[in-house]
Structure formats: C-alpha cells, structure tokens
Amino acid sequence: MAFNEEQFKEIVTEFTIDGERLHEIAASFRQDLQLGLRDVELSSMRMLKSYVGLPGGKETGEYLALDFGGTNVRVFRIRLDGGGKYEIVKRVGRPLIVPGEYDYICKDATAEQMFDFIAELIDEAIDGNHEQKFYLGHTFSFPSTQTNLNNARLIIWTKEFATQGVEGEVANDLLVEALKRRGVNNVEPVAVLNDTVAVLLSAAYKTPDIFIGSIYATGHNTCYLEPSIHDPNGVGLGGMILNLECGNFMKLMPNRFDREYDEGSEKPGEQRFEKMVSGRYMGELFGMAIAELLGEKGKKYGLTSVDMSMMILDESEKLTKASDIIMAKVGRELDFEDVKKVRELAKVIVIRSARLVASSFVAIVWQRAGKGKIVHQHVAVDGSVYEKMPLAKENITKALSELLGEDAGKVDTILDNGGSGLGAAIAAAMAVQK
Ligand code: GLC
C-alpha cells in the first residue's frame, strides 16, 4: 500500500511553521514573559524564582552534585578550581527504570523508594565515607517553588513522571530523610536548582556574555538572568535567574496531533509547548502521523526520537537503516517512496521543534534588551536533542537569523555539556561561600 499523497502533504503542512508564524510565536512568547514579570498569574509560564544570580568565577572547593531530572540519576564529586576550571573527581549514575527489574517513576513507586535509591547512589559517590563533610548541590529538574536557594517544593511532575508522594513536598527534605535512613549524616544539601539554571551557572562560570540557559532533551525548558529582581535570600550577581518553565507555554497553535497526544497523556493540558518540541514527545507525534498514513490511527509503535535521529542520518541510497527501523517498530515493509516520506516526516517534526525553541530564545533576548540594543551573547544549551539530533542545531541557527535580522550575528547557541552536574557544584559553592 502506498501513502496517500494528499494526506501526506497535509500532515507535512500541519508541522510546518513559516517565517510569519515564527515571528508571531516569538512575539507572543515575549508578551507572556512581560505579563509574567508584572504578575505571574497572567502568564502561561510559571517563571519561578531561583534565588541565585550568576557566579563570580572565584567559586572553589570540592562538592557533591546530584543530577536528578531524566531517566538517569547521576552523582558527581566535582572540584572547582576557580577561573572557569574544574575537575570531575568521581562520577556514578544509574537509570530510574530498568524494564522488568524496577521502575521508580511509575504510579506505583513511592517517594521513599525513589529517594532511597538516590541516597544509595550518593553513598556510592562518597565511597561509603560517613566521616568527611560533603556539601551537595541538587539539580532537581521539575517545576518547584523556592523561597531560598536550598528549598524547592515540587509543584507538579512533568516528563511523564508519576511517583507518589513527591508532588507538594520539599525535594531536599525527602533527600535528607533518605540520607538519614541510610546513615549518611555527613552529606548536607545546601542548594537546589533547576537543570536550566545549572546550565546557565556552568556556562557562565566558564565563558562571559551568557544570560540564558536551556535544556533541549527529554524535556525542554529555559531560564534567564532577570536584572530587575533582587532578594535578600538570594546569592550571586546581576539579579536573579528565573526558571521560566516554558515547557508550559500555552499561547501557540497546537495541531491535531499535538492536541490528541495531549489528551491521552499523563497530564492533559499541561506542558503543551514541551509536548511539541522535546525528545520525550517527538517520537510519539511521529508515530501518530505514521499511523494515520497507514490507516491505523490510534495504534502505538513505540517510536522514539532516537529512531527519528537514526532515520534522518540514514542517507544511504536504499534507506536501509530507515526501512529496518520501520520494519522493527511499525511491523511493515514499506516501499522506497513511503520510506522516503516517513524520513521526510521525521525531518519536519524536528525542524518545527527547533524553530519553536529558537523563537523562545529570541523572545528572551528581546525582553532582556528592552528598548536598548541587543548585546553580543551566547545562549547556553545542554541536552541530547540539541547535541545529537540531526537538523536541530542548524535550524535553531537559521530561525535565530530569520527572527533577529541584522542583529543575527550577535546571538548564537553553544553546547554546555554536563552543565547539570557542574552547575549544581557551583550553586553549592555559592551557597557555602556567600
Ligand atoms: C521539564 C521540567 C523542567 C526541566 C525540563 C528539562 O520541562 O518541568 O523543570 O527544566 O523538563 O529537563
């Protein structure tokens, strides 16, 4: 069976954002940002205070860093040497799910089980040393309300996490209790921060002219340094970093696939922007579009963004790899023309995602510039989609230049690999050395 040409074209159009629409989205994002700065209730984004500004660069000493926010938990011992220098002394990590063995992020898992698992990993990172004092920075990558740098109450799970007993609780309290249960009383959490904030701290520690940090991975979110906010409970320079939680940005037009996916998701109505752009969801949208083309709407194939990436990378004459993936996941042998179309579909979904992400960056650049000139700057980004997904970075760059016009040369994106860990160590140093 060959795909219906008209239907295919219509689906491609659904996922295409032209230049005019891109400008509208960036403008609407900026407006939402301005509304939120006036009164957060008016914005679709949460715009959460982090109680931290930029590091001064002189942060030093050895710290523990816990990176918790995706399917892998990691713990590092990091020595900061100041002046942008650091060394990772030890690194341990483990997935939160091993199919058939355990799953700490499903509805049946409890907060205790999840945090005991994390405490065990921390114990491993300190080699069971229960004597020496360790200060810990905790990257907790979910929307949380903070009243100071060390206190973050989870508002709502995102990224399809569903563990019981964590929503509404203070993350570091759960962690301290778990450490106590394990007899680890020498590890003191002193800072908790979102992964976007960690990326911004990490990048700014090493490189000047960075005010925006973003994650483009399983989830998507961005933070920026807001110069007008200062708080006696805060540390750091230049104002306060706001975690936008822009995955929840709502003022944009979802297509029918976006709407349908959202309705059947763990949290319908939440994280609409994230569900259109991030790695956790692109494969789902891709699968839904393929199912429609194959006349089996509603069928789930378990396609992931990694599958999309491998298909896009397949430039072989016969598209062998792409065909193999379709065979393995969709269970069909498609003819060459249809495999080409499936690959095309993967590309348009990735390109839409990159354009949307770029439009949010530009909105923040505009907002920070206000009536003044846009300054030269880099937007620091970490995450597998940014790093590894073909077409993502180049389409961000393209969209930045479409939107910024003559200012395009002033703004670029840079990869800050591993910023979630390093940023947590820097935040811990800022808390201890303030
Ligand atoms: C989700 C979380 C957010 C995090 C992002 C990237 O959007 O809500 O806090 O920064 O994923 O991990």
Side-chain angles (χ1 to χ4, degrees):
M1 171 195 131
F3 291 163
N4 176 307
E5 192 67 40
E6 283 312 304
Q7 191 187 16
F8 174 73
K9 280 198 190 133
E10 188 267 334
I11 293 176
V12 168
T13 310
E14 289 271 10
F15 282 104
T16 304
I17 299 177
D18 64 18
E20 195 182 328
R21 184 84 195 100
L22 195 69
H23 271 90
E24 282 166 16
I25 294 167
S28 126
F29 195 98
R30 181 184 185 182
Q31 194 195 25
D32 215 30
L33 205 58
Q34 286 174 331
L35 287 173
L37 285 173
R38 226 186 298 148
D39 173 358
V40 83
E41 295 300 320
L42 301 174
S43 174
S44 67
M45 296 184 276
R46 297 184 198 276
M47 304 190 50
L48 302 165
K49 288 185 178 179
S50 68
Y51 293 88
V52 67
L54 295 188
K58 295 204 175 76
E59 293 72 14
T60 51
E62 189 179 311
Y63 299 90
L64 276 176
L66 162 63
D67 178 15
F68 170 37
T71 40
N72 280 303
V73 185
R74 297 183 193 91
V75 184
F76 307 87
R77 267 161 61 189
I78 299 181
R79 199 190 61 237
L80 303 175
D81 296 322
K85 303 226 168 16
Y86 67 97
E87 193 176 336
I88 297 180
V89 179
K90 172 130 189 168
R91 162 201 325 249
V92 293
R94 226 170 280 158
L96 283 161
I97 317 179
V98 173
E101 276 187 45
Y102 63 81
D103 181 347
Y104 293 117
I105 64 179
C106 69
K107 278 196 189 93
D108 297 333
T110 65
E112 270 196 12
Q113 290 168 336
M114 177 183 248
F115 280 87
D116 281 348
F117 178 76
I118 297 172
E120 190 185 325
L121 205 61
I122 292 176
D123 209 1
E124 194 181 321
I126 57 173
D127 300 311
N129 176 343
H130 294 177
E131 301 301 321
Q132 189 188 336
K133 176 90 185 175
F134 291 99
Y135 293 108
L136 176 136
H138 177 182
T139 298
F140 182 66
S141 316
F142 301 94
S144 310
T145 317
Q146 297 197 226
T147 49
N148 59 50
L149 181 56
N150 193 30
N151 162 309
R153 191 179 292 277
L154 175 63
I155 302 170
I156 184 172
W157 278 131
T158 51
K159 297 177 278 198
E160 311 299 299
F161 273 55
T163 316
Q164 302 164 28
V166 191
E167 285 176 330
E169 300 299 321
V170 174
N172 270 354
D173 288 354
L174 297 174
L175 180 62
V176 169
E177 285 158 22
L179 287 168
K180 271 199 198 134
R181 281 196 292 274
R182 215 185 148 77
V184 180
N185 298 312
N186 53 327
V187 170
E188 186 185 344
V190 288
V192 59
L193 66 169
N194 188 256
D195 50 357
T196 56
V197 178
V199 165
L200 177 49
L201 295 184
S202 152
Y205 184 68
K206 294 175 283 195
T207 315
D209 304 326
I210 300 188
F211 316 101
I212 300 173
S214 185
I215 297 285
Y216 190 11
T218 307
H220 168 64
N221 184 19
T222 302
C223 72
Y224 79 100
L225 181 71
E226 173 52 55
S228 69
I229 304 182
H230 297 273
D231 191 287
N233 286 335
V235 298
L237 307 171
M240 190 188 287
I241 301 172
L242 288 182
N243 163 18
L244 293 179
E245 286 296 328
C246 63
N248 209 35
F249 177 60
M250 302 276 189
K251 299 173 182 167
L252 74 179
M253 283 208 301
N255 68 24
R256 64 170 196 281
F257 298 100
D258 301 316
R259 284 196 298 272
E260 200 183 312
Y261 179 77
D262 176 58
E263 279 157 22
S265 69
E266 192 65 59
K267 295 260 159 63
E270 301 285 339
Q271 302 296 104
R272 300 302 300 271
F273 187 59
E274 183 164 65
K275 286 171 182 160
M276 293 168 77
V277 302
S278 82
R280 172 66 184 76
Y281 303 102
M282 274 194 277
E284 307 267 8
L285 298 173
F286 181 49
M288 288 168 76
I290 297 174
E292 209 173 282
L293 286 163
L294 286 170
E296 24 188 52
K297 199 165 165 357
K299 194 158 172 197
K300 293 215 184 319
Y301 307 121
L303 283 155
T304 65
S305 52
V306 176
D307 295 324
M308 295 169 75
S309 145
M310 288 193 298
M311 284 192 194
I312 298 173
L313 286 173
D314 180 7
E315 287 175 346
S316 67
E317 207 183 317
K318 293 195 169 143
L319 298 178
T320 329
K321 182 82 198 161
S323 308
D324 288 352
I325 295 171
I326 296 169
M327 188 61 219
K329 293 272 171 98
V330 180
R332 300 255 193 140
E333 194 165 345
L334 299 185
D335 64 32
F336 179 72
E337 285 307 313
D338 285 352
V339 176
K340 248 169 61 184
K341 287 197 175 77
V342 168
R343 190 168 166 269
E344 185 60 33
L345 203 57
K347 286 186 180 177
V348 293
I349 293 173
V350 172
I351 293 172
R352 179 182 78 151
S353 160
R355 287 170 77 73
L356 286 171
V357 166
S359 70
S360 71
F361 292 165
V362 170
I364 304 169
V365 168
W366 283 340
Q367 175 58 25
R368 277 189 43 89
K371 290 199 171 70
K373 281 197 170 134
I374 290 174
V375 295
H376 276 274
Q377 61 190 292
H378 315 286
V379 177
V381 191
D382 193 11
S384 48
V385 177
Y386 180 72
E387 195 181 348
K388 298 195 186 127
M389 179 65 91
L391 302 176
K393 182 165 183 195
E394 70 183 77
N395 280 283
I396 290 183
T397 307
K398 199 166 152 266
L400 287 180
S401 86
E402 268 177 67
L403 288 168
L404 289 166
E406 59 185 25
D407 285 320
K410 293 183 178 168
V411 183
D412 65 1
T413 57
I414 55 167
L415 174 69
D416 191 81
N417 208 341
S420 294
L422 178 58
I426 295 168
M430 290 168 80
V432 172
Q433 296 177 344
K434 75 173 174 189

